[in-house]
Amino acid sequence: MNTSVSSPNKIRVHPQALAWAWAGYGVCAWALAYTALKLYWAAGGRALLATVGLPEATLQDPWFVLIGLWGTIILGVVAVLFGLATVQSWGLFIPRWLLIADAFAACALFTLRAALGFVQDALLISGIISISDAVDRSVIISHLLLWDPFFLLGAIFFGAVAWSLWRGSREAQR
Amino acid sequence: MISLWIIVAILAIVAVEVIGLVIWRLVRRARMNDQHG
């Protein structure tokens, strides 16, 4: 959110910041969906777990439960707060450069995740890379149709937040 | 296993950022209190 102080007790919100608020709320909603699903799996739920294709042994591994489930739940909560910080007034307590750097880093990470996923899954489905018999073909299709687009959506939301914050800070300097 | 290490690295970065932010805010508040007596 691009803001400027116009009087001691009044914060003026830049009109363009309001136009880009969808990006912050998008990050929030995206992270909320991800966190809720991980929380559901951590609580023992099994819906949609087949789309990931994790073997039961991995799900029982305490390191996976600690880092792969609870670690990502913590990161998900941080991402929800991050999304809100870009559109709520309390977010002004966080330096802009930190929010911009984090948003660009998250965008880069999720772009890489989505791109590698799309390429790998497309190569597997097309038969260019051979699939072993142990791998369920439906898992690769769900990755291609669900998880790769999901991470791409995250990259778009974080990228939009990074772009709007960066542009806002540049215009505030003028 | 690689993805778990990536998550650990991101958690560490986030922890450093949050702790750094809290310390920075506390130091800034203390300095402002000093200036205003």
Side-chain angles (χ1 to χ4, degrees):
Chain A
M1 186 168 59
N2 178 23
T3 57
S4 57
V5 178
S6 57
S7 71
N9 298 318
K10 194 176 175 186
I11 293 171
R12 186 163 56 87
V13 178
H14 196 284
Q16 280 184 345
L18 292 174
W20 283 86
W22 63 267
Y25 286 117
V27 165
C28 187
W30 180 87
L32 205 59
Y34 180 80
T35 309
L37 187 62
K38 284 290 178 98
L39 206 55
Y40 167 71
W41 287 345
R46 287 293 177 262
L48 282 175
L49 200 57
T51 61
V52 182
L54 285 171
E56 195 58 37
T58 305
L59 293 168
Q60 303 300 325
D61 182 356
W63 284 110
F64 175 79
V65 173
L66 184 69
I67 300 165
L69 289 179
W70 289 105
T72 52
I73 288 166
I74 292 168
L75 290 178
V77 171
V78 170
V80 169
L81 294 173
F82 175 89
L84 287 176
T86 62
V87 288
Q88 298 288 321
S89 58
W90 56 262
L92 293 168
F93 287 101
I94 306 169
R96 295 287 97 176
W97 64 264
L98 188 64
L99 289 177
I100 294 169
D102 282 348
F104 271 119
C107 174
L109 191 73
F110 290 129
T111 301
L112 192 68
R113 165 64 184 83
L116 290 176
F118 274 123
V119 169
Q120 179 185 280
D121 296 331
L123 289 174
L124 286 168
I125 286 293
S126 62
I128 295 172
I129 297 176
S130 57
I131 310 170
S132 84
D133 294 336
V135 177
D136 189 351
R137 201 178 167 83
S138 68
V139 171
I140 299 162
I141 294 169
S142 3
H143 270 267
L144 199 59
L145 298 179
L146 177 67
W147 294 112
D148 300 339
F150 181 77
F151 284 110
L152 182 64
L153 189 67
I156 291 168
F157 282 137
F158 274 104
V161 164
W163 171 252
S164 67
L165 289 175
W166 182 69
R167 233 177 68 165
S169 67
R170 274 175 66 96
E171 283 174 12
Q173 285 170 358
R174 283 180 190 165
Chain B
M1 277 311 285
I2 294 169
S3 58
L4 289 187
W5 281 111
I6 292 170
I7 294 164
V8 170
I10 297 168
L11 278 168
I13 291 166
V14 169
V16 168
E17 282 186 12
V18 171
I19 293 166
L21 193 62
V22 170
I23 293 170
W24 176 69
R25 293 295 310 179
L26 289 173
V27 168
R28 207 176 134 178
R29 185 178 289 181
R31 278 184 185 167
M32 284 182 83
N33 286 341
D34 284 347
Q35 280 177 358
H36 294 289

